[in-house]
Amino acid sequence: MHAVIVDCAIYREGRRTEGPSDFSDALAQARSAQDRFLWIGLHEPTEQEFDLVTSEFGLHPLAVEDSLSAHQRPKLEVYEDSLFAVLKPVVYEPESDTVSSGELMVFVGDSFVVTVRHGEGAPLAAVRKRLESDPKLLAHGPTSVLYAVSDAVVDHYLEVAAELATDMEELEAEVFSPQGGDTKGTAGRIYTFKRQVLEFRRASAPLAQPMLRLSSPGLPFVQDHAQPFFRDVSDHLTRANEQVEGLDRLLSDILSAHLAQMGVRQNDDMRKISAWAAMAAVPTMVAGIYGMNFENMPELTWGWAYYGVLVFMVVCEVGLYRLFKKRGWL
């Protein structure tokens, strides 16, 4: 069990204190006074490892099932003894220009917080460190933990959105460069980029409704004075979602423009091929007629006929070339 426990501590008046290692004793101590609460962090626990936490904290079985199976949408569920929130932090990999998402489940009760992390993108270590350096904020109890976790996840959304915007500007400059349409794999890069934005949207967009609920009054296990703070998180999330939606629309426009460029270049190529084919058709036609093996061919006895036909073909070729060049076909 200790392998999955990232951290476990009792906080009294916003300050970390040493407590018993047993969950039951630690929770009893946290519930012994209103100025205390227990915060335990877990990383990818198995069902057997989580059974002890479930029994000690009285967590709802549906919420436990969601926290174990992962692959959940961001949501907020209210149960009789706890509040269950699911968040999806995102991570941007600059080496590969990819976006990946993890999962973070938060159980909030009267005197406890249980966080379950899946993946490597959850900023819990930094959140705990920041909260422990601000006892005044941490003194507000489990609500402060839920706020700090939500705020950290959403703020990172804005950072990732800024990174994606920078990458998209580079991709846009490449597509609309004079050689952009000739670059191999450009359409594939745009589609891959669009997949990254979709992964981002799956993490950020569904979180809007839970944040609105947290900023509304009357929600159990959430102190009323925390509403303005959750409202601020909701505003940041709205900005992040707007940026992601703008990136998605712009990517669709870039892809359409790239395909249009490819179509224009293909039309230019077809016109060039048609022009060269037309120029090749004139000497072919003349040579075909002139080379027919008739016994009484009218120009057969003309001494200058051979040279005259050559001159005629050259004149036709030059005339066609100048005509096609003037119309931009060549």
Side-chain angles (χ1 to χ4, degrees):
M1 185 63 190
H2 291 282
V4 300
I5 298 177
V6 179
D7 202 348
C8 179
I10 296 177
Y11 295 89
R12 181 180 181 182
E13 295 181 352
R15 299 187 182 277
R16 185 180 182 124
T17 61
E18 296 296 331
S21 58
D22 182 75
F23 289 155
S24 180
D25 296 339
L27 184 58
Q29 181 176 334
R31 286 174 171 170
S32 62
Q34 294 183 352
D35 60 349
R36 302 177 184 178
F37 73 94
L38 174 66
W39 181 4
I40 177 173
L42 305 176
H43 179 234
E44 298 182 357
T46 64
E47 184 177 356
Q48 293 75 18
E49 293 168 336
F50 205 52
D51 281 343
L52 180 59
V53 179
T54 302
S55 59
E56 293 294 341
F57 290 86
L59 305 180
H60 197 279
L62 292 178
V64 172
E65 180 182 356
D66 289 344
S67 63
L68 291 175
S69 61
H71 303 292
Q72 303 293 320
R73 284 169 54 88
K75 63 179 180 178
L76 180 67
E77 299 287 349
V78 180
Y79 298 103
E80 183 178 354
D81 298 324
S82 63
L83 188 73
F84 178 62
V86 178
L87 302 94
K88 293 181 73 69
V90 296
V91 177
Y92 176 79
E93 300 292 344
E95 294 81 8
S96 57
D97 295 336
T98 58
V99 174
S100 59
S101 62
E103 292 193 33
L104 178 60
M105 288 77 172
V106 183
F107 295 88
V108 178
D110 53 353
S111 301
F112 68 86
V113 177
V114 178
T115 55
V116 182
R117 176 168 60 92
H118 292 269
E120 301 298 331
L124 287 181
V127 171
R128 189 185 288 262
K129 184 177 180 180
R130 180 167 65 89
L131 283 174
E132 290 179 352
S133 65
D134 189 1
K136 185 177 180 180
L137 176 60
L138 195 55
H140 292 289
T143 302
S144 64
V145 177
L146 180 59
Y147 158 71
V149 171
S150 304
D151 185 57
V153 170
V154 172
D155 284 348
H156 197 58
Y157 285 168
L158 295 172
E159 296 176 7
V160 174
E163 294 285 351
L164 289 176
T166 301
D167 288 347
M168 195 191 64
E169 289 176 359
E170 297 176 358
L171 180 61
E172 185 178 14
E174 176 184 333
V175 170
F176 290 102
S177 65
Q179 297 81 22
D182 296 332
T183 304
K184 293 183 178 180
T186 301
R189 285 191 59 195
I190 298 174
Y191 180 76
T192 302
F193 203 112
K194 199 171 181 64
R195 291 283 299 178
Q196 307 306 318
V197 173
L198 178 61
E199 181 71 17
F200 196 160
R201 292 188 66 179
R202 288 175 177 171
S204 63
L207 189 58
Q209 189 62 31
M211 286 297 104
L212 288 177
R213 292 182 62 189
L214 287 170
S215 61
S216 303
L219 195 65
F221 308 106
V222 177
Q223 299 177 5
D224 291 340
H225 65 265
Q227 295 170 16
F229 296 94
F230 284 109
R231 196 155 43 241
D232 180 68
V233 176
S234 180
D235 292 340
H236 291 176
L237 179 61
T238 300
R239 188 171 64 181
N241 285 333
E242 289 176 350
Q243 291 181 3
V244 174
E245 291 176 2
L247 290 174
D248 187 59
R249 289 195 298 267
L250 191 54
L251 278 171
S252 299
D253 294 340
I254 291 175
L255 180 59
S256 299
H258 173 68
L259 295 177
Q261 284 182 330
M262 295 297 294
V264 170
R265 285 182 169 85
Q266 288 177 353
N267 288 336
D268 290 341
D269 293 340
M270 289 302 299
R271 286 190 300 179
K272 292 178 180 179
I273 293 173
S274 300
W276 286 111
M279 292 172 63
V282 173
T284 301
M285 179 187 65
V286 174
I289 295 175
Y290 186 71
M292 287 188 298
N293 191 17
F294 289 109
E295 183 177 356
N296 298 318
M297 196 168 183
E299 68 273 21
L300 190 60
T301 58
W302 296 353
W304 52 267
Y306 176 76
Y307 302 101
V309 170
L310 291 179
V311 172
F312 175 75
M313 288 190 292
V314 170
V315 171
C316 290
E317 290 295 299
V318 172
L320 288 174
Y321 179 82
R322 295 184 63 181
L323 176 63
F324 293 146
K325 193 72 174 179
K326 182 177 180 181
R327 294 187 177 183
W329 285 31
L330 292 173

